[in-house]
């Protein structure tokens, strides 16, 4: 309700303050309904109104749109009830200008959960019209023909009863009789023998012929110009979507004093499909267009796009001429109302600013200064109630004799809790407090977290306007962010408020409910794991719970080799950022492990060292931090430290023992002790990723055939176990090996690697795949050194030392193929510098093998599997083969 805000008026002695109320209890939306209805009634009662005019613009629709959970469905239900019976109308809503008996309101829930299909939409509208007590002959004839064709042997009343429609409408029982009456009249008029059904069976042709000849016997229907065409059409779903034209015609034949205006409320319109598949939406649009004497109220998350010309071809009627009320009004962008499309729900930041500027003013200037407006907007999350309370707090602070500051609005309002809980049952309040501990929830999760044995309170809670619903994510519901913060943090003065012990018990229930969700997930969905882990970690940290099942979940998280971020909000109890609990330490461990794909390995090493120094982790999780610290140290070239860490984890025999033994095999490989690495691989098995270890050994021998076979076996094994991270990792290595020996095949392997690495955070594997691209292009691409320089800079940021050496080896291959001796010498020098610690020193040997150069004196010799000479010949053969391929392209 626009106008003076009386609370504000009586909150200050300063009469120079101008206050305006921006919203209250949906009166504006109700007014939009009554105004739209009054205009529509005037339109359809004009002498020149023609229900069969299919070209005139349509103004018979009103749309309410807004974010999920703001109360659109509640508004739709309230409008239906208020139009049906005046006693159901809220006291603050004005009476409509038309008497209630002149409207036939019917609400249709289009939500997917309601299972509403197009047949049900049409039948619901027809059942509502049955209240008039009259047959709808044109429509009923077509509907009966459709029904007999698509539901042979099934009585329509049985279908209605089974679907619950007969019990919903008091006049529904009369529908079969009304349809029977229409069929009987036709059968009698055409003198058809047999049952009444024959009017649409064998007699359908006779009826159509009579209609086209406009015989006197069917004069009651002959004026319906399109009835014959619709009866003649194949009675399928598409034809059904045009039958509302017949219903509109039937309604128009009723004398004015005995007719009523159908008001059809289509709720949850967003569930009619997405913006690319509009089949259901197209049929619903036909209903609206073909019933110009009905009034439609649509509620959904999105504006209707029907007035946009870009939809031409997707829908039957589009553009601003067809739907003038739905066209975007650029003069009102960001406002609550634009033509017949009304925005309800949370305010955008721009709307919040606009509200605060206009709410309190003095001499035409906003009373609340810009920094305070900004913090109110940020903390409101667009909730109108929060801004209303903030305005009152602003005036209260001014009454105290000082100018309100930004810090005064770092504030949670107990009134938010009071108003949120005011109309909830005790069980609903209990569930709400329980789920406020969770960032998202489902009905079963909410019920279990609340410790209840029935879903009803949780189901009722999900219908409340402060519960948001989203189709993305593991669980569909979450509490409005601001309401959730208030329930968790503000002083709760309600009679059933929770004590600290109540909150702790609730946290324990929610914690174990998350465990159940994770352990009972038979599909082993990664998204379920991550959601349970994140929320479980947060509860364990905030309420100092034992880690319990989080250890198992943490090992599954790392075992999948997929690195979604696990960052949690800062803990109020640890403003210094120090580790205080085991949960803090586990959060930091998992965050460091995941973030190592995006941070320098020195940062990873530092974070994991700090975790181990804190001694907060239980023993089984100490090995987790130790293992990934050792991996980071290996990547940094700290071989001795990495060796000690891997040995410690391997000797402990825990869950990461196999991975640590693989790490030791890798350390043997990078030192050039290849026989030891092969021997170790034979004892690793799947858990130690034995095939990948062997592939890593074989490619440096120049034996790309055996390397490829090992990687293919590793990929198959990873796919068999469903470990997508390992699958992508092995694919990157496979592409690298194939790029040396078969550039054409490498295209396919690299494409597959790219697709499998997309959406995963596997930085080192991404580097391997990008280096593989350079190997594939070696000799062919003149710009390869420039591309390598760019990639080298990115490797420097990551701190993955071995990747820089691997890149230089690829450059050596390129220069060897081109026989560019000077460039090759420069690359070998750089390669020697990168491997001077001794790790990967054999890369220098390989570079000499490629170019057919003798090894320098005093070079430390690697232990090649098949001896130095055979290894040299293999690498030289790869170079000469590439030269032949290059010559063939010129």
């Amino acid at each position: 309700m626009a106008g003076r805000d009386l609370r504000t008026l009586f909150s200050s002695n300063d009469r120079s303050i101008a206050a305006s109320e921006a919203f209250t209890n949906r009166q504006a939306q109700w007014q939009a309904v009554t105004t739209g209805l009054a205009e529509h009634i005037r339109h359809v009662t004009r002498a020149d109104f023609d229900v069969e005019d299919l070209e005139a613009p349509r103004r018979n629709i009103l749309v309410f749109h807004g974010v999920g959970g703001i109360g659109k469905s509640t508004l739709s239900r309230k409008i239906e009830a208020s139009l049906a019976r005046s006693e159901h109308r809220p006291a603050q809503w004005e009476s409509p200008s038309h008497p209630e008996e002149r409207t036939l309101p019917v609400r249709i829930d289009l939500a997917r959960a309601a299972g509403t299909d197009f047949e049900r939409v049409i039948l619901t509208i027809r059942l509502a019209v049955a209240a008039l007590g009259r047959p709808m002959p044109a429509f009923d004839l077509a509907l009966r023909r459709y029904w007999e064709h698509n539901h042979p042997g099934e009585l329509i009343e049985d279908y209605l009863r089974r679907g619950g429609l007969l019990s919903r409408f008091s006049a529904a029982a009369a529908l079969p009789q009304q349809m029977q009456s229409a069929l009987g009249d036709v059968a009698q008029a055409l003198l058809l023998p047999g049952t009444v059904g024959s009017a649409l069976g064998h007699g359908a042709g006779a009826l159509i012929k009579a209609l086209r000849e406009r015989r006197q016997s069917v004069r009651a229907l002959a004026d319906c110009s399109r009835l014959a065409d619709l009866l003649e059409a194949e009675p399928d779903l598409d034809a059904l979507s045009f039958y509302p034209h017949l219903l509109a015609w039937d309604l128009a034949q009723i004398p004015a004093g005995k007719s009523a205006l159908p008001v059809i409320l289509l709720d949850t319109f967003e569930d009619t499909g997405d913006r690319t598949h509009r089949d259901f939406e197209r049929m619903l649009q036909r209903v609206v267009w073909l019933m110009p004497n009905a009034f439609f109220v649509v509620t959904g998350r999105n504006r209707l796009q029907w007035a946009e010309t870009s939809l031409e071809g997707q829908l039957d009627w589009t553009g601003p001429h067809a739907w003038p009320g739905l066209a975007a009004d650029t003069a009102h962008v960001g406002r609550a109302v634009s033509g017949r499309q009304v925005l309800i729900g949370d305010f955008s930041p721009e709307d919040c600013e606009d509200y605060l500027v206009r709410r309190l003013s003095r001499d035409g200037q906003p009373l609340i200064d810009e920094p305070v407006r900004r913090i109110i907007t940020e903390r409101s999350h667009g909730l109108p109630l929060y801004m209303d309370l903030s305005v009152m707090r602003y005036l209260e602070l001014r009454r105290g004799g000082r100018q309100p500051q930004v810090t005064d609005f770092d504030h949670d309002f107990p009134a938010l809790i009071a108003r949120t809980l005011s109309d909830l049952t005790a069980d609903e309040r209990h569930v709400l407090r329980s789920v406020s501990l969770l960032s998202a929830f489902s009905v079963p999760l909410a019920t279990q977290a609340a410790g209840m044995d029935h879903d009803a309170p949780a189901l009722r809670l999900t219908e409340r306007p402060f519960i948001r619903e989203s189709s993305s994510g593991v669980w569909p519901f979450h509490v409005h962010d601001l309401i959730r913060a208030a329930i968790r943090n503000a002083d709760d003065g309600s009679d059933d408020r929770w004590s600290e012990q109540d909150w702790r018990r609730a946290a324990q229930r929610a914690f174990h409910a998350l465990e159940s969700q994770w352990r009972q997930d038979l599909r082993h969905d990664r998204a379920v794991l991550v959601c349970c882990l994140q929320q479980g970690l947060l509860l364990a940290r905030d309420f100092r719970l034992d880690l319990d099942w989080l250890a198992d979940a943490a090992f599954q998280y790392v075992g999948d080799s997929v690195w979604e971020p696990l960052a949690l909000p800062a803990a109020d109890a640890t403003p210094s950022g120090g580790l205080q609990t085991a949960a803090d330490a586990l959060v930091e461990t998992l965050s460091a492990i995941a973030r190592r794909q995006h941070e320098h390995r020195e940062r990873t090493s530092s974070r994991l060292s700090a975790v181990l120094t804190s001694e907060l982790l239980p023993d089984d999780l100490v090995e987790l931090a130790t293992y990934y610290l050792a991996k980071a140290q290996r990547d940094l070239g700290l071989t001795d430290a990495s060796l000690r860490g891997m040995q410690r984890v391997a000797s402990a025999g825990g869950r990461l023992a196999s991975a640590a033994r693989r790490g030791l095999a890798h350390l043997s490989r990078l030192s050039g002790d290849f026989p030891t690495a092969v021997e170790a691989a034979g004892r690793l098995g799947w858990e130690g990723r034995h095939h990948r270890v062997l592939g890593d050994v074989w490619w440096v021998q120049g034996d790309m055939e055996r390397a490829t076979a090992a990687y293919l076996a590793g990929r198959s094994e990873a796919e068999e176990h469903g470990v997508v991270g390992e699958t992508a990792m092995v694919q990157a290595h496979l592409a690298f090996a194939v790029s040396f020996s078969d550039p054409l095949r490498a295209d396919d392997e690299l494409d597959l690697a790219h697709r499998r690495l997309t959406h995963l955070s596997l930085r080192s594997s991404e580097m391997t795949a990008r280096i593989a691209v350079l190997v594939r292009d070696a000799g062919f691409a003149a710009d390869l050194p420039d591309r390598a320089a760019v990639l080298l800079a990115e490797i420097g940021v990551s701190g993955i030392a071995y990747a820089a050496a691997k890149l230089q080896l690829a450059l050596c291959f390129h220069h060897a193929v081109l026989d560019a001796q000077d460039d090759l010498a420069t690359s070998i020098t750089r390669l020697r510098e990168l491997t001077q610690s001794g790790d990967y020193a054999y890369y220098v040997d390989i570079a000499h093998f490629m170019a057919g150069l003798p090894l320098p004196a005093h070079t430390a010799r690697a232990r090649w599997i098949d001896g130095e000479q055979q290894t040299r010949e293999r690498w030289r053969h790869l170079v000469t083969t590439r030269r032949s391929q290059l010559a063939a392209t010129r």
Side-chain angles (χ1 to χ4, degrees):
M1 179 179 66
R4 289 291 287 175
D5 173 10
L6 295 180
R7 287 182 305 146
T8 305
L9 181 66
F10 284 88
S11 294
S12 174
N13 293 327
D14 189 348
R15 297 301 305 277
S16 66
I17 297 176
S20 62
E21 183 67 86
F23 54 88
T24 57
N25 299 315
R26 305 301 188 204
Q27 290 103 320
Q29 287 77 40
W30 172 248
Q31 186 178 16
V33 172
T34 57
T35 300
L37 271 174
E39 292 175 359
H40 186 66
I41 290 173
R42 287 194 296 270
H43 174 65
V44 300
T45 54
R46 286 170 46 182
D48 61 347
F49 174 76
D50 181 5
V51 74
E52 291 191 285
D53 183 354
L54 298 181
E55 298 178 359
R58 294 303 194 249
R59 295 179 172 85
N60 60 330
I61 187 168
L62 176 64
V63 180
F64 294 113
H65 65 100
V67 296
I70 201 61
K72 299 181 299 294
S73 294
T74 302
L75 176 64
S76 183
R77 287 191 289 267
K78 185 61 69 176
I79 291 171
E80 180 191 32
S82 299
L83 291 174
R85 301 287 295 274
S86 58
E87 59 264 32
H88 296 316
R89 189 174 66 247
Q92 65 270 29
W93 285 11
E94 297 178 355
S95 299
S97 59
H98 55 281
E100 63 186 46
E101 61 271 13
R102 292 290 307 281
T103 59
L104 284 174
V106 55
R107 178 178 172 271
I108 302 174
D109 188 357
L110 299 173
R112 293 187 182 94
T116 302
D117 57 16
F118 188 68
E119 277 189 357
R120 190 177 178 92
V121 170
I122 295 298
L123 290 172
T124 301
I125 295 173
R126 178 61 183 92
L127 287 170
V129 172
L132 295 174
R134 290 172 170 268
M136 300 288 137
F139 177 84
D140 290 349
L141 286 170
L143 179 61
R144 185 59 177 263
R145 175 166 161 75
Y146 170 89
W147 195 262
E148 289 179 355
H149 185 273
N150 292 279
H151 298 268
E154 181 180 20
L155 294 176
I156 194 168
E157 47 264 46
D158 290 342
Y159 178 90
L160 296 174
R161 184 178 297 106
R162 189 170 60 253
L165 290 174
L166 279 181
S167 60
R168 178 180 169 186
F169 297 91
S170 58
L175 176 60
Q177 288 74 28
Q178 292 177 10
M179 296 180 68
Q180 194 89 342
S181 173
L183 292 167
D185 289 346
V186 170
Q188 183 177 3
L190 296 175
L191 302 177
L192 294 173
T195 64
V196 171
S198 66
L200 294 180
H202 300 297
L207 173 58
I208 293 169
K209 188 172 185 289
L211 289 170
R212 293 199 183 282
E213 294 173 356
R214 302 183 65 82
R215 294 180 191 170
Q216 186 69 14
S217 59
V218 291
R219 64 186 182 278
L221 295 172
D223 288 337
C224 185
S225 60
R226 296 178 178 86
L227 175 58
D229 296 292
L230 287 172
L231 290 176
E232 204 168 36
E234 178 71 16
D236 55 16
L237 194 64
D238 191 62
L240 180 65
S241 68
F242 289 95
Y243 292 177
H245 170 74
L246 304 177
L247 186 58
W249 184 86
D250 286 325
L251 289 168
Q253 310 314 304
I254 301 175
K258 298 182 179 181
S259 66
L261 174 71
V263 180
I264 302 167
L265 299 106
L266 302 175
D267 190 26
T268 326
F269 201 84
E270 68 271 12
D271 273 9
T272 60
D274 58 30
R275 295 298 177 93
T276 57
H277 300 89
R278 298 179 179 268
D279 294 342
F280 195 11
E281 183 180 3
R282 181 169 59 252
M283 290 189 287
L284 291 173
Q285 192 201 55
R286 287 175 184 165
V287 176
V288 179
W289 188 271
L290 297 174
M291 296 189 71
N293 51 350
F295 189 74
F296 294 81
V297 179
V298 172
T299 43
R301 293 185 183 177
N302 309 306
R303 292 172 56 93
L304 281 190
Q305 297 176 305
W306 297 354
E308 296 180 16
T309 55
S310 60
L311 265 66
E312 185 176 348
Q314 297 185 59
L315 300 175
D316 293 342
W317 296 276
T318 58
H321 173 75
W323 307 97
L326 303 183
D329 183 354
T330 55
H332 292 84
V333 173
R335 304 289 184 167
V337 181
S338 177
R340 288 294 181 89
Q341 304 234 45
V342 182
L343 173 66
I344 62 173
D346 285 355
F347 287 177
S348 67
E350 294 78 13
D351 290 331
C352 293
E353 167 69 8
D354 182 63
Y355 165 79
L356 293 170
V357 165
R358 291 185 294 108
R359 179 66 186 273
L360 297 176
S361 61
R362 175 190 284 151
D363 299 327
Q365 298 299 313
L367 184 66
I368 305 176
D369 59 19
E370 193 275 335
V372 174
R373 295 199 306 270
R374 185 169 62 251
I375 193 64
I376 293 174
T377 295
E378 289 173 358
R379 288 187 58 80
S380 74
H381 292 275
L383 190 70
L385 175 57
Y386 182 91
M387 290 187 292
D388 187 35
L389 294 170
S390 295
V391 167
M392 301 311 295
R393 176 171 175 78
Y394 186 92
L395 293 173
E396 179 185 350
L397 293 170
R398 287 184 85 254
R399 260 199 324 270
R402 68 182 182 85
Q403 181 65 26
Q405 303 297 314
V406 168
T407 53
D408 294 320
F409 293 89
D410 185 14
H411 185 74
D412 292 301
F413 291 103
L416 277 173
I417 302 176
R419 296 195 188 189
T420 301
L421 301 181
S422 61
D423 62 342
L424 302 185
T425 65
D427 282 351
E428 287 174 318
R429 291 196 294 273
H430 181 79
V431 175
L432 176 60
R433 289 189 174 99
S434 299
V435 297
S436 73
L437 293 166
L438 302 170
S439 60
F441 64 93
S442 62
V443 168
L445 179 57
T447 299
Q448 190 174 359
M452 293 186 168
D453 57 4
H454 57 292
D455 289 338
L459 283 167
R460 290 196 302 270
L461 186 69
T462 62
E463 298 175 358
R464 299 294 181 171
F466 49 81
I467 300 297
R468 303 303 174 85
E469 185 173 3
S470 172
S471 58
S472 62
V474 172
W475 300 299
F477 304 108
H478 69 274
V479 183
H480 186 288
D481 290 337
L482 186 64
I483 300 297
R484 182 180 177 220
I487 290 172
R488 290 286 304 275
N489 302 322
D491 294 331
D492 186 349
S494 57
D495 292 339
D496 59 351
R497 62 186 177 274
W498 280 4
S499 67
E500 287 298 320
Q501 195 58 37
D502 289 329
W503 280 108
R504 182 170 179 80
R505 282 191 288 264
Q508 288 277 10
R509 288 196 306 269
F511 185 72
H512 291 297
L514 290 168
E515 178 186 12
S516 296
Q517 291 279 313
W518 169 56
R519 294 198 187 277
Q520 294 171 12
D521 176 33
L522 301 180
R523 296 180 302 142
H524 301 292
D525 190 324
R526 178 75 181 180
V528 173
L529 164 69
V530 172
C531 286
C532 291
L533 188 56
Q534 280 189 304
Q535 296 202 88
L537 284 167
L538 193 60
L539 288 169
R541 186 193 70 183
D542 291 350
F543 291 90
R544 294 180 176 266
L545 307 179
D546 292 335
L547 294 183
D548 196 58
W549 60 274
L550 290 175
D552 292 340
F555 277 105
Q556 183 181 332
Y557 171 79
V558 300
D560 289 344
S561 298
V562 181
W563 307 110
E564 303 94 332
L566 280 174
L568 300 183
D572 295 336
T574 57
S576 63
L579 302 179
Q580 301 292 321
T581 67
D584 285 330
L586 181 54
V587 169
E588 178 66 4
T589 299
L590 295 178
S591 175
I593 292 171
R595 286 295 301 166
R596 81 188 199 281
Q597 306 295 337
H598 307 282
E599 296 177 339
H600 196 284
R601 290 300 197 266
E602 286 184 357
R603 171 67 175 152
T604 305
S605 176
S606 173
R607 294 176 69 181
L608 291 175
S609 296
V611 169
L612 291 169
T613 300
S614 73
E615 298 183 344
L616 290 170
L617 287 177
D619 291 343
D620 58 340
L621 289 171
V622 166
E623 71 168 301
L624 180 67
T626 302
Y627 171 73
Y628 280 96
L629 172 59
K631 287 193 69 172
Q633 290 167 333
R634 185 186 70 202
D635 290 343
L636 290 168
L638 303 175
T639 306
D640 291 342
S642 178
L643 180 63
R644 289 192 296 272
M646 291 294 183
Q647 288 173 334
R648 192 176 306 122
V649 175
S651 62
R655 289 190 248 199
L656 290 175
S658 294
R661 286 192 286 271
R662 180 180 73 247
L664 292 172
H666 282 318
L667 289 169
S668 296
R669 175 178 56 82
L670 64 87
S671 70
D673 187 0
F674 302 120
T676 298
V678 170
E679 182 185 1
R683 300 190 300 270
L684 292 177
W686 152 248
E687 290 186 352
R689 310 302 193 253
H690 55 148
H691 289 306
R692 174 154 58 90
V693 172
L694 286 172
D696 290 347
V697 171
W698 292 127
W699 81 259
V700 296
Q701 314 301 309
D703 194 338
M704 300 307 166
E705 184 176 343
R706 276 198 285 186
T708 298
Y711 287 137
L712 284 171
R715 187 181 71 184
S716 297
E717 208 167 41
E719 289 173 336
E720 181 183 336
H721 286 83
V723 182
V724 295
E726 176 66 17
T727 303
M729 195 182 310
V730 176
Q731 180 60 38
H733 286 251
L734 171 62
F736 177 78
V738 170
S739 293
F740 277 105
S741 58
D742 191 342
L744 292 179
R745 177 183 170 185
D747 289 339
D748 294 334
E749 301 297 353
L750 283 166
D751 179 65
L752 183 56
H754 173 74
R755 284 188 278 115
R756 289 188 165 171
L757 288 168
T758 300
H759 308 307
L760 301 179
S761 295
L762 293 171
R763 187 74 172 274
S764 61
S765 295
E766 290 170 5
M767 294 295 184
T768 296
R770 292 176 67 182
I771 296 170
V773 172
L774 299 180
V775 173
R776 179 201 63 187
D777 295 345
F780 296 105
D783 66 341
L784 192 143
D786 293 334
R787 288 156 52 193
V790 173
L791 182 53
L792 184 62
E794 295 183 34
I795 290 172
V797 173
S798 70
I800 305 174
Y802 75 83
K806 205 170 191 176
L807 175 61
Q808 284 298 330
L809 185 63
L811 272 173
C812 289
F813 183 60
H814 173 70
H815 296 318
V817 169
L818 296 178
D819 198 21
Q821 293 299 322
D822 291 343
D823 292 332
L824 178 62
T826 301
S827 291
I828 290 177
T829 299
R830 291 175 181 168
L831 189 56
R832 185 176 289 109
E833 292 170 354
L834 288 169
T835 60
Q836 61 184 348
S837 66
D839 296 343
Y840 303 103
Y842 53 84
Y843 279 3
V844 177
D845 296 6
I846 292 174
H848 284 79
F849 296 163
M850 289 175 178
L853 298 174
L855 293 179
H858 311 298
T859 299
R861 296 293 194 264
R863 295 181 63 204
W864 304 103
I865 300 294
D866 300 316
E868 180 181 313
Q869 184 58 36
Q870 193 167 345
T871 305
R872 171 186 288 274
E873 290 173 359
R874 289 196 194 107
W875 279 109
R876 184 61 180 168
H877 178 70
L878 289 170
V879 170
T880 56
T881 300
R882 180 64 60 91
R883 284 180 181 173
S884 298
Q885 294 167 342
L886 181 60
T889 63
R890 291 175 176 171

